[in-house]
Amino acid sequence: MGASANPNMVANPYQRASMANMGAMQTFSNPGAAAAGLMNPYENQVVQATMRDVGQQALQAQNTLGAQAQAAGAFGGSRHGIAEAQMAKNYTQQMADQSARMRQSGYNQAMNNAFTAAQGLQGAGQQAFGMGQAVNQQQMQQGAMQQAAMQSLIDAAKNQFQGYTKGPQAGLAAMFGGAGLTEGTKGSSSTFQPGLMDYLTTAASTFYGMGR
């Protein structure tokens, strides 16, 4: 019945789910074939044994009928023949009815077993699919955690590298600040701006030189 392989022996949960669902679909699409594979192998023996029992009962009834006809002096007559024919018909019908009931009961049981197995496969397929979904979800969560951890390491490395590259500039700023200068004075040329006292000193020096 169903798939040729046992889905429970397959490691991949999605493959297990697919095989189980295929087996269930095969049963539902052709339940007669599935039931035939689940028929009781001893059913024929049981039916045949029942038919033998009914046959023995019919033989005993025939002997009883013959004895009664002989006692009445009608053995072998038309009435005796009609009675035997009716009795044989009744027992033949009884055998057919019992055989049909037994085989129908066996077939119904096999059908129930087939549908129960198909429903079990459906449930197993859904369970396997759910397991696959759960595994995927866990893998996604694990991947997200690993990605976040890697991103943290990358960010830390970038910050450390930026600290190294800004180190010389920070050192210069500290040096200039300690000397009373600002970083804006780097590379600028100094220009002498004379004051009033400078002008007076220069004029006095000139006048003194001329007087000599």
Side-chain angles (χ1 to χ4, degrees):
M1 183 203 71
S4 58
N6 187 354
N8 293 327
M9 302 299 294
V10 180
N12 189 320
Y14 290 113
Q15 189 175 358
R16 288 169 54 189
S18 177
M19 292 177 62
N21 288 330
M22 287 177 60
M25 289 177 61
Q26 290 177 4
T27 298
F28 289 133
S29 62
N30 192 1
L38 295 174
M39 293 291 291
N40 187 347
Y42 302 102
E43 180 178 334
N44 288 332
Q45 299 178 11
V46 175
V47 172
Q48 291 174 4
T50 302
M51 295 302 99
R52 284 195 299 270
D53 292 341
V54 175
Q56 290 177 359
Q57 294 175 8
L59 181 59
Q60 292 175 0
Q62 183 180 11
N63 293 334
T64 300
L65 180 61
Q68 292 175 350
Q70 187 174 9
F75 185 81
S78 58
R79 292 179 59 186
H80 180 210
I82 292 173
E84 280 190 336
Q86 185 61 40
M87 183 190 64
K89 177 182 178 182
N90 292 338
Y91 275 100
T92 300
Q93 186 64 44
Q94 180 181 350
M95 293 173 68
D97 292 343
Q98 288 193 14
S99 176
R101 282 195 299 269
M102 294 176 67
R103 294 189 183 280
Q104 185 65 38
S105 176
Y107 181 77
N108 291 339
Q109 183 63 41
M111 287 286 288
N112 290 335
N113 292 339
F115 282 116
T116 299
Q119 291 173 353
L121 285 174
Q122 277 190 327
Q126 293 175 357
Q127 183 179 9
F129 184 81
M131 290 175 59
Q133 292 288 90
V135 170
N136 286 346
Q137 184 66 25
Q138 291 177 358
Q139 290 178 345
M140 291 176 61
Q141 293 177 353
Q142 186 67 23
M145 292 174 59
Q146 293 178 354
Q147 183 179 5
M150 290 298 298
Q151 188 63 44
S152 297
L153 291 175
I154 293 173
D155 293 341
K158 289 172 62 177
N159 293 334
Q160 188 175 12
F161 179 76
Q162 290 177 358
Y164 290 151
T165 57
K166 292 181 178 180
Q169 183 177 1
L172 289 174
M175 182 179 68
F176 289 140
L181 301 176
T182 61
E183 189 176 354
T185 61
K186 291 187 300 180
S188 60
S189 60
S190 59
T191 303
F192 178 70
Q193 299 291 335
L196 177 61
M197 292 299 297
D198 294 320
Y199 287 115
L200 292 175
T201 301
T202 301
S205 298
T206 302
F207 178 77
Y208 178 76
M210 291 176 62
R212 295 181 63 185

